[in-house]
Amino acid sequence: MFTDALKDAEVIGAAAAVRAFLGREPTRAEITAARRAAGSYARSGQATTFYVSSGRARVLMLARPDADVERQGLRDVAAWRKHQPRRGAPRSDQRVLATLTTHVVAAGRAARLIDIAKVSPANAAGFADDLDDAMKELARLRARLRRRAQHGREAGAE
């Protein structure tokens, strides 16, 4: 399966290759088997494996041994996922913001516990890049929230 997928592309996502091979969404067991198979395939020298961050997920990627890979292109490949429609009632912006705030606060607490010395330099660079993107978006959101709060105080003072 990986051999055929790597004939068509220099870099592939392991889960995407399984999805294309099966023609449907793989089960958790099939994804686990694909991860293990990708490791064996890489150990045989037929490919290299690595992880790329895509949103909240870390995606296992395979590349031909001679592939010239660059980070943004990998993110684009890794981000390809079949759209999954949301189930249930739509969430209000206020509820989404409350959930986001809870997760960001928890992430800040967890960040204090990380022993950076145990992170490889290559992974550190990747995590730093991913955090840069997220931190910029969070800073924009914070600025918009502060402007909204200020606007509300000014309107209440009238």
Side-chain angles (χ1 to χ4, degrees), residues 3-105:
T3 302
D4 291 339
L6 286 170
K7 284 179 186 173
D8 298 331
E10 286 187 328
V11 180
I12 60 170
V18 172
R19 193 176 294 118
F21 180 77
L22 295 173
R24 62 174 169 77
E25 283 299 308
T27 64
R28 183 180 295 184
E30 289 166 334
I31 291 293
T32 300
R35 259 196 326 265
R36 290 178 180 157
S40 296
Y41 195 71
R43 282 190 295 281
S44 73
Q46 299 177 61
T48 58
T49 59
F50 50 91
Y51 286 88
V52 174
S53 293
S54 174
R56 297 182 313 185
R58 305 230 354 118
V59 179
L60 176 62
M61 306 296 291
L62 287 94
R64 293 183 206 158
D66 62 339
D68 179 25
V69 295
E70 50 91 15
R71 189 159 187 76
Q72 187 57 46
L74 295 178
R75 285 188 187 156
D76 294 343
V77 172
W80 181 84
R81 297 183 201 285
K82 187 174 176 184
H83 174 68
Q84 297 292 326
R86 186 177 162 358
R87 295 181 188 155
R91 294 183 187 160
S92 71
D93 289 341
Q94 189 151 337
R95 184 69 216 140
V96 170
L97 187 57
T99 301
L100 176 65
T101 302
T102 299
H103 288 289
V104 170
V105 169

